[in-house]
Amino acid sequence: MVVWNLKDIYPSFDNDFVREAGEVKRLAEEMVRARPLLQESMSEKDFLAMLDKYKRMHDILSRLQGYADLELSENTASTEGNARTTRVDELATDA
């Protein structure tokens, strides 16, 4: 059985998930508010700022998903591992 050292990704997934999920939700809300600005007249600076938010959100979700997937690969029957994977999937879907 494979065992990963996931502490390098998140020292405490449950605590870190709450913080990271809050950041993803905040970024998603900012992007929704900025959506009406997506026009040809949008400044390059504003467009790049929006892309930076999207990239940050993507990076967080990738890291969360990586943790959850690696943990689940240790034991696919793990209720806790499946629950974490589901939490991350739901967060990504809602964002």
Side-chain angles (χ1 to χ4, degrees), residues 24-79:
V24 167
K25 290 175 185 176
R26 183 187 66 76
L27 290 166
E29 289 169 3
E30 287 181 18
M31 291 186 69
V32 166
R33 284 193 303 273
R35 189 173 189 170
L37 302 174
L38 279 174
Q39 300 177 23
E40 287 186 40
S41 60
M42 182 180 208
S43 73
E44 181 179 331
K45 179 183 172 188
D46 290 342
F47 183 69
L48 290 174
M50 185 178 275
L51 285 179
D52 284 343
K53 289 175 187 177
Y54 177 80
K55 182 185 180 312
R56 174 71 180 132
M57 189 170 58
H58 181 269
D59 290 348
I60 293 169
L61 289 169
S62 293
R63 190 171 168 186
L64 289 168
Q65 192 67 57
Y67 183 103
D69 288 345
L70 287 171
E71 180 185 50
L72 189 59
S73 75
E74 293 178 353
N75 178 6
T76 57
S78 167
T79 303

